[in-house]
Amino acid sequence: MSNVVTAVSDTVFEKEVETGKGLVLVDFWATWCGPCRQVAPIVEKIAEENAGKISVRKLDVDDNQHTAQKYGVMSIPTLILFKDGQPVERLVGYMPKERLMQKIKPHMV
């Protein structure tokens, strides 16, 4: 994991995401998930290129089932974009960087 992407857990999710300000992209993933490993470098690149505009967090669904269930994560990878603590966009499955940015950019105001 890069220095611009931070791991979160059930215990800190509320503080780090739900009560935060600005944009936070949360990558719901698991170590055994092939598509998750494919999307990880894309998510890191988005974090690096948009530092200061968006925060990126990763949540391992195997270790943090409470938060995954709370947000109805049934398939991984699932990326949920939060704006000021509220989910505003949900992206499921592998997507190329350009497609992910098409969904994220409208919220970067």
Side-chain angles (χ1 to χ4, degrees):
M1 205 172 318
S2 77
N3 59 350
V4 292
V5 178
T6 307
V8 290
S9 64
D10 284 344
T11 55
V12 298
F13 194 85
E14 180 180 352
K15 179 182 166 217
E16 294 262 333
V17 178
E18 295 172 335
T19 59
K21 294 289 181 206
L23 284 179
V24 181
L25 181 65
V26 181
D27 179 6
F28 291 82
W29 72 290
T31 55
W32 50 263
C33 168
C36 297
R37 289 192 302 271
Q38 288 179 303
V39 81
I42 295 169
V43 169
E44 288 191 19
K45 193 77 167 159
I46 288 170
E48 290 168 4
E49 292 176 356
N50 296 283
K53 299 178 196 167
I54 187 170
S55 299
V56 178
R57 305 288 185 260
K58 289 181 74 80
L59 184 119
D60 185 327
V61 298
D62 287 336
D63 296 335
N64 301 283
Q65 294 178 8
H66 172 76
T67 303
Q69 288 176 342
K70 179 177 179 179
Y71 287 97
V73 174
M74 304 297 261
S75 300
I76 53 174
T78 291
L79 303 171
I80 300 178
L81 183 65
F82 290 81
K83 186 169 189 172
D84 297 330
Q86 297 300 310
V88 293
E89 193 76 54
R90 176 183 293 256
L91 309 156
V92 180
Y94 172 84
M95 289 180 205
K97 180 178 168 245
E98 296 76 22
R99 182 134 181 253
L100 289 173
M101 286 307 299
Q102 283 177 345
K103 300 289 188 175
I104 294 169
K105 274 191 178 180
H107 301 285
M108 294 177 137
V109 179

